[in-house]
Amino acid sequence: MMTGKAATPVFDLSGRVALVTGASSGLGERFAEILAASGAAVVLAARRTDRLEQTCAAIKAKGGRAIAVAMDVADEASTVAAYDAAEAAFGTVDTIIANAGMNSEGSILDLPVEEFDRVMAVNLRGVFLTAREGAKRLIASGSRESGRGRIVITASITAHKVEAGLAAYSGSKAGVLQMGKVMARDWIRQGINVNMICPGYIKTEINGEWFDTEAGAKQIAKFPRRRIMEQGELDTMLLYLASDASGGVTGTSFTIDDGQSL
Protein backbone atom coordinates (compact mmCIF):
# COMPACT_ATOMS: atom_id res chain seq x y z
CA MET A 1 0.00 0.00 0.00
CA MET A 2 1.12 3.54 -0.67
CA THR A 3 3.06 5.06 2.19
CA GLY A 4 4.75 8.38 2.83
CA LYS A 5 3.47 11.83 2.00
CA ALA A 6 0.83 11.57 -0.71
CA ALA A 7 1.46 13.59 -3.84
CA THR A 8 -1.28 14.96 -6.04
CA PRO A 9 -0.48 13.79 -9.58
CA VAL A 10 0.48 16.81 -11.67
CA PHE A 11 1.42 15.00 -14.88
CA ASP A 12 -1.00 13.03 -17.04
CA LEU A 13 0.51 9.67 -18.01
CA SER A 14 -2.60 8.34 -19.73
CA GLY A 15 -1.64 6.11 -22.64
CA ARG A 16 1.76 5.26 -21.21
CA VAL A 17 2.92 1.77 -20.27
CA ALA A 18 5.38 1.72 -17.38
CA LEU A 19 7.51 -1.16 -16.14
CA VAL A 20 8.87 -0.81 -12.61
CA THR A 21 11.55 -3.19 -11.34
CA GLY A 22 11.90 -3.89 -7.64
CA ALA A 23 8.19 -3.14 -7.28
CA SER A 24 7.54 -5.58 -4.44
CA SER A 25 8.48 -3.10 -1.71
CA GLY A 26 9.90 0.30 -0.85
CA LEU A 27 10.40 2.87 -3.56
CA GLY A 28 9.47 0.46 -6.36
CA GLU A 29 6.07 -0.18 -4.82
CA ARG A 30 5.54 3.54 -4.31
CA PHE A 31 6.61 4.34 -7.88
CA ALA A 32 4.21 1.77 -9.32
CA GLU A 33 1.29 3.18 -7.33
CA ILE A 34 1.96 6.82 -8.19
CA LEU A 35 2.46 6.06 -11.89
CA ALA A 36 -0.84 4.17 -11.95
CA ALA A 37 -2.58 7.00 -10.10
CA SER A 38 -1.35 9.34 -12.86
CA GLY A 39 -2.91 7.22 -15.61
CA ALA A 40 -0.17 4.83 -16.73
CA ALA A 41 -0.76 1.11 -17.20
CA VAL A 42 1.82 -0.37 -14.86
CA VAL A 43 3.81 -3.59 -15.00
CA LEU A 44 5.10 -4.46 -11.53
CA ALA A 45 8.23 -6.58 -11.77
CA ALA A 46 10.18 -8.37 -9.05
CA ARG A 47 11.05 -11.83 -7.80
CA ARG A 48 8.49 -11.75 -4.95
CA THR A 49 5.32 -12.09 -7.00
CA ASP A 50 3.09 -12.57 -3.94
CA ARG A 51 3.87 -9.01 -2.85
CA LEU A 52 3.32 -7.74 -6.39
CA GLU A 53 -0.16 -9.23 -6.55
CA GLN A 54 -1.17 -7.37 -3.41
CA THR A 55 -0.06 -4.06 -4.87
CA CYS A 56 -1.75 -4.84 -8.19
CA ALA A 57 -5.01 -5.48 -6.36
CA ALA A 58 -4.71 -2.15 -4.54
CA ILE A 59 -4.08 -0.31 -7.81
CA LYS A 60 -7.03 -1.96 -9.55
CA ALA A 61 -9.29 -1.20 -6.60
CA LYS A 62 -8.62 2.47 -7.27
CA GLY A 63 -9.43 2.13 -10.98
CA GLY A 64 -5.87 1.67 -12.23
CA ARG A 65 -4.44 -0.85 -14.66
CA ALA A 66 -1.68 -3.16 -13.50
CA ILE A 67 -0.18 -6.62 -13.86
CA ALA A 68 2.49 -8.46 -11.91
CA VAL A 69 5.38 -10.25 -13.62
CA ALA A 70 8.17 -12.33 -12.18
CA MET A 71 11.52 -10.79 -13.07
CA ASP A 72 15.08 -11.34 -11.94
CA VAL A 73 16.86 -8.25 -13.26
CA ALA A 74 20.23 -9.99 -13.16
CA ASP A 75 19.01 -12.70 -15.56
CA GLU A 76 18.65 -11.86 -19.25
CA ALA A 77 16.09 -14.58 -20.04
CA SER A 78 13.93 -13.48 -17.11
CA THR A 79 14.14 -9.87 -18.26
CA VAL A 80 13.09 -10.76 -21.81
CA ALA A 81 10.19 -12.85 -20.49
CA ALA A 82 8.99 -9.98 -18.33
CA TYR A 83 8.92 -7.61 -21.29
CA ASP A 84 7.10 -10.23 -23.35
CA ALA A 85 4.41 -10.46 -20.67
CA ALA A 86 4.17 -6.68 -20.45
CA GLU A 87 3.67 -6.34 -24.21
CA ALA A 88 1.07 -9.09 -24.26
CA ALA A 89 -0.95 -7.22 -21.64
CA PHE A 90 -0.53 -3.55 -22.55
CA GLY A 91 1.67 -3.15 -25.64
CA THR A 92 5.15 -1.66 -25.86
CA VAL A 93 6.64 -0.43 -22.60
CA ASP A 94 7.55 3.23 -23.18
CA THR A 95 8.36 4.16 -19.56
CA ILE A 96 11.03 2.08 -17.84
CA ILE A 97 11.78 2.57 -14.16
CA ALA A 98 15.00 0.67 -13.43
CA ASN A 99 14.70 0.67 -9.67
CA ALA A 100 15.64 -2.81 -8.39
CA GLY A 101 18.62 -2.80 -6.07
CA MET A 102 20.24 -4.37 -3.05
CA ASN A 103 22.62 -3.18 -0.36
CA SER A 104 25.72 -4.53 1.34
CA GLU A 105 27.45 -2.97 4.32
CA GLY A 106 30.74 -3.55 6.01
CA SER A 107 34.48 -3.20 5.65
CA ILE A 108 35.95 -3.84 2.23
CA LEU A 109 38.46 -6.11 3.94
CA ASP A 110 35.66 -8.37 5.13
CA LEU A 111 33.47 -8.20 2.02
CA PRO A 112 33.13 -11.64 0.38
CA VAL A 113 33.66 -11.61 -3.36
CA GLU A 114 30.37 -13.47 -3.79
CA GLU A 115 28.48 -10.68 -2.02
CA PHE A 116 30.25 -8.02 -4.08
CA ASP A 117 29.24 -9.88 -7.23
CA ARG A 118 25.59 -10.13 -6.10
CA VAL A 119 25.40 -6.38 -5.54
CA MET A 120 26.89 -5.64 -8.94
CA ALA A 121 24.66 -8.22 -10.62
CA VAL A 122 21.48 -6.58 -9.32
CA ASN A 123 22.43 -2.90 -9.14
CA LEU A 124 24.56 -2.53 -12.26
CA ARG A 125 24.00 -5.54 -14.54
CA GLY A 126 20.29 -5.38 -13.66
CA VAL A 127 20.00 -1.79 -14.85
CA PHE A 128 21.96 -2.65 -17.99
CA LEU A 129 19.66 -5.55 -18.89
CA THR A 130 16.44 -3.72 -17.97
CA ALA A 131 17.30 -0.59 -19.92
CA ARG A 132 18.82 -2.37 -22.91
CA GLU A 133 15.88 -4.72 -23.44
CA GLY A 134 13.43 -1.85 -23.10
CA ALA A 135 15.40 0.33 -25.51
CA LYS A 136 15.54 -2.41 -28.14
CA ARG A 137 11.77 -2.71 -28.12
CA LEU A 138 11.21 1.04 -28.04
CA ILE A 139 13.41 1.55 -31.09
CA ALA A 140 11.67 -1.29 -32.93
CA SER A 141 8.30 0.28 -32.14
CA GLY A 142 9.22 3.67 -33.61
CA SER A 143 10.41 5.71 -30.64
CA ARG A 144 12.56 7.83 -32.94
CA GLU A 145 9.42 9.28 -34.48
CA SER A 146 7.30 9.47 -31.32
CA GLY A 147 10.00 10.69 -28.93
CA ARG A 148 8.11 9.10 -26.04
CA GLY A 149 10.76 6.73 -24.71
CA ARG A 150 11.56 7.32 -21.04
CA ILE A 151 14.06 5.48 -18.84
CA VAL A 152 14.44 6.54 -15.22
CA ILE A 153 17.16 4.89 -13.15
CA THR A 154 17.24 4.89 -9.36
CA ALA A 155 20.78 5.73 -8.25
CA SER A 156 21.77 7.15 -4.84
CA ILE A 157 23.52 10.08 -3.19
CA THR A 158 26.21 7.54 -2.31
CA ALA A 159 27.18 7.60 -5.99
CA HIS A 160 28.91 10.92 -5.25
CA LYS A 161 28.94 11.13 -1.43
CA VAL A 162 31.43 8.95 0.40
CA GLU A 163 29.84 6.71 3.02
CA ALA A 164 32.04 4.33 4.99
CA GLY A 165 31.17 0.67 4.64
CA LEU A 166 29.25 0.97 1.38
CA ALA A 167 31.96 0.18 -1.16
CA ALA A 168 30.00 -2.28 -3.30
CA TYR A 169 26.72 -0.37 -3.12
CA SER A 170 28.30 3.03 -3.77
CA GLY A 171 30.45 1.65 -6.56
CA SER A 172 27.43 0.12 -8.27
CA LYS A 173 25.45 3.37 -8.03
CA ALA A 174 28.35 5.44 -9.35
CA GLY A 175 28.55 3.01 -12.25
CA VAL A 176 24.83 3.44 -12.86
CA LEU A 177 25.24 7.22 -13.17
CA GLN A 178 27.92 6.99 -15.84
CA MET A 179 26.25 4.11 -17.67
CA GLY A 180 22.98 6.04 -17.73
CA LYS A 181 24.70 9.03 -19.32
CA VAL A 182 26.24 6.81 -22.00
CA MET A 183 22.84 5.26 -22.68
CA ALA A 184 21.35 8.74 -22.98
CA ARG A 185 24.02 9.70 -25.53
CA ASP A 186 23.72 6.44 -27.48
CA TRP A 187 19.92 6.66 -27.75
CA ILE A 188 19.42 10.41 -27.98
CA ARG A 189 18.47 10.25 -31.66
CA GLN A 190 16.19 7.29 -31.05
CA GLY A 191 13.63 9.28 -29.07
CA ILE A 192 14.66 7.78 -25.74
CA ASN A 193 15.50 9.92 -22.72
CA VAL A 194 17.56 8.40 -19.90
CA ASN A 195 17.79 10.15 -16.54
CA MET A 196 18.83 9.22 -13.01
CA ILE A 197 17.35 10.07 -9.62
CA CYS A 198 19.76 10.10 -6.67
CA PRO A 199 17.67 9.84 -3.50
CA GLY A 200 18.99 10.49 -0.04
CA TYR A 201 18.15 8.32 2.94
CA ILE A 202 14.43 7.54 2.90
CA LYS A 203 12.53 5.58 5.51
CA THR A 204 11.12 2.36 4.04
CA GLU A 205 10.17 -1.00 5.46
CA ILE A 206 13.71 -2.22 4.82
CA ASN A 207 15.43 0.38 7.01
CA GLY A 208 12.54 1.50 9.20
CA GLU A 209 13.63 -0.56 12.19
CA TRP A 210 17.15 0.88 11.98
CA PHE A 211 16.00 4.49 11.98
CA ASP A 212 13.78 3.73 14.99
CA THR A 213 16.82 2.69 17.04
CA GLU A 214 19.00 5.04 19.08
CA ALA A 215 21.83 4.67 16.56
CA GLY A 216 19.48 5.41 13.69
CA ALA A 217 18.18 8.48 15.49
CA LYS A 218 21.76 9.70 15.90
CA GLN A 219 22.31 9.32 12.15
CA ILE A 220 19.20 11.37 11.45
CA ALA A 221 20.39 14.02 13.90
CA LYS A 222 23.50 14.49 11.75
CA PHE A 223 21.47 15.37 8.66
CA PRO A 224 21.32 19.14 8.04
CA ARG A 225 17.54 19.22 8.65
CA ARG A 226 17.67 16.53 11.33
CA ARG A 227 14.92 14.51 9.72
CA ILE A 228 14.46 11.52 7.42
CA MET A 229 12.90 11.84 3.98
CA GLU A 230 9.51 10.37 3.07
CA GLN A 231 9.02 8.27 -0.06
CA GLY A 232 6.50 10.71 -1.49
CA GLU A 233 9.16 13.40 -1.84
CA LEU A 234 10.36 11.71 -5.04
CA ASP A 235 6.90 11.60 -6.65
CA THR A 236 6.95 14.83 -8.62
CA MET A 237 10.42 14.25 -10.10
CA LEU A 238 9.52 10.70 -11.09
CA LEU A 239 6.30 11.81 -12.78
CA TYR A 240 8.05 14.67 -14.57
CA LEU A 241 10.79 12.42 -15.97
CA ALA A 242 8.20 9.83 -17.04
CA SER A 243 6.02 12.39 -18.82
CA ASP A 244 6.03 14.19 -22.15
CA ALA A 245 6.96 17.38 -20.26
CA SER A 246 10.57 16.16 -19.89
CA GLY A 247 11.14 15.84 -23.63
CA GLY A 248 14.24 18.05 -23.53
CA VAL A 249 15.84 16.39 -20.50
CA THR A 250 18.21 13.46 -20.92
CA GLY A 251 21.52 12.26 -19.49
CA THR A 252 20.93 14.15 -16.25
CA SER A 253 21.05 13.07 -12.62
CA PHE A 254 18.79 14.69 -10.05
CA THR A 255 19.79 14.65 -6.40
CA ILE A 256 16.80 14.67 -4.08
CA ASP A 257 18.12 14.23 -0.58
CA ASP A 258 16.70 17.01 1.62
CA GLY A 259 20.22 18.44 1.77
CA GLN A 260 21.73 15.29 3.31
CA SER A 261 24.81 15.46 1.07
CA LEU A 262 25.55 19.11 1.90
Side-chain angles (χ1 to χ4, degrees):
M1 297 296 290
M2 191 179 293
T3 58
K5 295 179 180 178
T8 301
V10 293
F11 296 99
D12 183 7
L13 302 184
S14 299
R16 284 193 167 273
V17 177
L19 181 143
V20 183
T21 65
S24 59
S25 64
L27 291 179
E29 183 179 7
R30 172 78 186 194
F31 290 166
E33 292 181 323
I34 199 67
L35 289 164
S38 299
V42 179
V43 180
L44 292 87
R47 288 177 293 184
R48 295 184 294 177
T49 55
D50 57 329
R51 292 288 301 271
L52 296 179
E53 293 292 354
Q54 294 176 30
T55 306
C56 275
I59 289 173
K60 292 176 181 178
K62 296 178 181 178
R65 302 169 65 206
I67 63 166
V69 298
M71 179 176 174
D72 179 352
V73 297
D75 182 84
E76 185 174 16
S78 178
T79 300
V80 171
Y83 274 98
D84 286 344
E87 288 188 1
F90 298 131
T92 302
V93 174
D94 55 29
T95 307
I96 299 154
I97 314 300
N99 168 78
M102 65 173 291
N103 193 12
S104 175
E105 298 183 42
S107 167
I108 295 175
L109 298 177
D110 299 323
L111 180 65
V113 172
E114 295 79 11
E115 186 171 346
F116 177 89
D117 288 345
R118 281 195 297 272
V119 173
M120 291 297 168
V122 174
N123 295 6
L124 192 56
R125 174 187 168 97
V127 170
F128 166 76
L129 291 174
T130 300
R132 184 179 69 165
E133 185 63 25
K136 286 180 179 179
R137 295 172 187 242
L138 274 166
I139 293 168
S141 73
S143 60
R144 183 167 186 167
E145 290 71 35
S146 70
R148 284 174 57 83
R150 297 288 185 273
I151 299 176
V152 182
I153 299 169
T154 302
S156 167
I157 59 169
T158 64
H160 50 76
K161 179 180 184 294
V162 176
E163 290 282 1
L166 295 179
Y169 181 80
S170 298
S172 69
K173 293 301 185 179
V176 159
L177 285 188
Q178 187 67 6
M179 184 169 66
K181 291 179 181 180
V182 175
M183 289 175 173
R185 183 62 182 86
D186 282 354
W187 302 331
I188 195 166
R189 297 185 69 179
Q190 299 295 338
I192 301 172
N193 289 4
V194 184
N195 291 291
M196 290 67 66
I197 296 177
C198 295
Y201 286 94
I202 295 175
K203 190 172 183 178
T204 66
E205 64 183 81
I206 295 175
N207 60 28
E209 291 186 4
W210 160 253
F211 283 118
D212 288 336
T213 66
E214 183 178 349
K218 288 181 179 179
Q219 181 180 6
I220 294 173
K222 293 179 181 179
F223 296 152
R225 284 186 168 150
R226 296 179 174 83
R227 68 185 186 190
I228 191 72
M229 290 177 64
E230 298 287 344
Q231 294 182 42
E233 294 181 83
L234 302 182
D235 290 354
T236 301
M237 180 57 71
L238 173 76
L239 295 177
Y240 168 67
L241 294 177
S243 74
D244 293 345
S246 61
V249 181
T250 192
T252 303
S253 63
F254 296 87
T255 298
I256 305 173
D257 67 353
D258 199 38
Q260 292 172 11
S261 56
L262 294 177

CSV table of all heavy atoms in Angstrom, one decimal, residues 3 100 112 163 173 188 192 196 200-201 206 223 232 246 249 260:
chain,number,residue,atom,x,y,z
A,3,THR,N,2.7,4.5,0.9
A,3,THR,CA,3.1,5.1,2.2
A,3,THR,C,3.8,6.4,1.9
A,3,THR,O,4.2,6.7,0.8
A,3,THR,CB,4.0,4.1,3.0
A,3,THR,OG1,5.1,3.8,2.2
A,3,THR,CG2,3.2,2.8,3.4
A,100,ALA,N,15.2,-1.7,-9.2
A,100,ALA,CA,15.6,-2.8,-8.4
A,100,ALA,C,17.1,-2.6,-7.9
A,100,ALA,O,18.0,-2.2,-8.6
A,100,ALA,CB,15.5,-4.1,-9.2
A,112,PRO,N,32.9,-10.5,1.2
A,112,PRO,CA,33.1,-11.6,0.4
A,112,PRO,C,33.0,-11.3,-1.1
A,112,PRO,O,32.1,-10.5,-1.4
A,112,PRO,CB,32.0,-12.6,0.8
A,112,PRO,CG,31.6,-12.1,2.2
A,112,PRO,CD,31.8,-10.6,2.2
A,163,GLU,N,30.4,7.3,1.8
A,163,GLU,CA,29.8,6.7,3.0
A,163,GLU,C,30.6,5.5,3.4
A,163,GLU,O,30.7,4.5,2.6
A,163,GLU,CB,28.4,6.3,2.8
A,163,GLU,CG,27.4,7.5,2.7
A,163,GLU,CD,27.1,8.2,4.0
A,163,GLU,OE1,27.6,7.7,5.0
A,163,GLU,OE2,26.3,9.1,4.0
A,173,LYS,N,26.3,2.2,-7.7
A,173,LYS,CA,25.5,3.4,-8.0
A,173,LYS,C,26.2,4.4,-8.8
A,173,LYS,O,25.7,5.1,-9.7
A,173,LYS,CB,24.9,4.0,-6.7
A,173,LYS,CG,23.9,3.1,-6.0
A,173,LYS,CD,22.7,2.7,-6.9
A,173,LYS,CE,21.7,1.9,-6.2
A,173,LYS,NZ,20.5,1.6,-7.0
A,188,ILE,N,20.0,9.1,-27.9
A,188,ILE,CA,19.4,10.4,-28.0
A,188,ILE,C,18.7,10.7,-29.3
A,188,ILE,O,17.7,11.4,-29.3
A,188,ILE,CB,20.5,11.5,-27.7
A,188,ILE,CG1,19.8,12.8,-27.4
A,188,ILE,CG2,21.5,11.6,-28.9
A,188,ILE,CD1,20.8,13.9,-26.8
A,192,ILE,N,14.7,8.4,-27.1
A,192,ILE,CA,14.7,7.8,-25.7
A,192,ILE,C,15.5,8.7,-24.8
A,192,ILE,O,16.6,8.9,-25.1
A,192,ILE,CB,15.3,6.4,-25.7
A,192,ILE,CG1,14.5,5.4,-26.7
A,192,ILE,CG2,15.3,5.8,-24.3
A,192,ILE,CD1,15.1,4.1,-26.9
A,196,MET,N,18.6,9.9,-14.3
A,196,MET,CA,18.8,9.2,-13.0
A,196,MET,C,18.3,10.1,-11.8
A,196,MET,O,18.5,11.3,-11.9
A,196,MET,CB,20.3,8.9,-12.8
A,196,MET,CG,20.9,7.9,-13.7
A,196,MET,SD,21.0,8.3,-15.5
A,196,MET,CE,22.1,9.7,-15.5
A,200,GLY,N,18.3,10.6,-1.3
A,200,GLY,CA,19.0,10.5,0.0
A,200,GLY,C,18.4,9.4,0.8
A,200,GLY,O,17.7,8.5,0.3
A,201,TYR,N,18.7,9.4,2.1
A,201,TYR,CA,18.1,8.3,2.9
A,201,TYR,C,16.6,8.5,3.1
A,201,TYR,O,16.2,9.6,3.5
A,201,TYR,CB,18.8,8.3,4.3
A,201,TYR,CG,20.3,7.8,4.2
A,201,TYR,CD1,21.4,8.6,4.0
A,201,TYR,CD2,20.5,6.4,4.4
A,201,TYR,CE1,22.6,8.1,4.0
A,201,TYR,CE2,21.8,5.9,4.3
A,201,TYR,CZ,22.8,6.8,4.1
A,201,TYR,OH,24.1,6.2,4.0
A,206,ILE,N,12.4,-1.5,4.7
A,206,ILE,CA,13.7,-2.2,4.8
A,206,ILE,C,14.6,-1.6,5.9
A,206,ILE,O,15.3,-2.3,6.7
A,206,ILE,CB,14.4,-2.2,3.5
A,206,ILE,CG1,13.7,-3.0,2.4
A,206,ILE,CG2,15.9,-2.7,3.6
A,206,ILE,CD1,14.3,-2.9,1.0
A,223,PHE,N,21.9,14.8,9.9
A,223,PHE,CA,21.5,15.4,8.7
A,223,PHE,C,21.2,16.9,8.9
A,223,PHE,O,20.8,17.3,10.0
A,223,PHE,CB,20.2,14.7,8.2
A,223,PHE,CG,20.3,13.2,7.8
A,223,PHE,CD1,19.2,12.4,7.9
A,223,PHE,CD2,21.5,12.7,7.4
A,223,PHE,CE1,19.3,11.0,7.6
A,223,PHE,CE2,21.6,11.4,7.1
A,223,PHE,CZ,20.5,10.5,7.2
A,232,GLY,N,7.3,9.8,-0.6
A,232,GLY,CA,6.5,10.7,-1.5
A,232,GLY,C,7.3,11.9,-2.0
A,232,GLY,O,6.8,12.6,-3.0
A,246,SER,N,9.1,16.2,-20.0
A,246,SER,CA,10.6,16.2,-19.9
A,246,SER,C,11.2,15.8,-21.2
A,246,SER,O,12.4,15.3,-21.2
A,246,SER,CB,11.0,15.1,-18.8
A,246,SER,OG,10.5,13.8,-19.2
A,249,VAL,N,15.0,16.7,-21.6
A,249,VAL,CA,15.8,16.4,-20.5
A,249,VAL,C,16.3,15.0,-20.7
A,249,VAL,O,15.6,14.0,-20.6
A,249,VAL,CB,15.1,16.5,-19.1
A,249,VAL,CG1,16.0,16.2,-18.0
A,249,VAL,CG2,14.5,17.9,-19.0
A,260,GLN,N,20.9,16.2,2.5
A,260,GLN,CA,21.7,15.3,3.3
A,260,GLN,C,23.2,15.3,2.9
A,260,GLN,O,24.1,15.0,3.7
A,260,GLN,CB,21.1,13.9,3.2
A,260,GLN,CG,19.8,13.7,4.0
A,260,GLN,CD,19.2,12.4,3.7
A,260,GLN,OE1,19.8,11.5,3.2
A,260,GLN,NE2,17.9,12.2,4.1
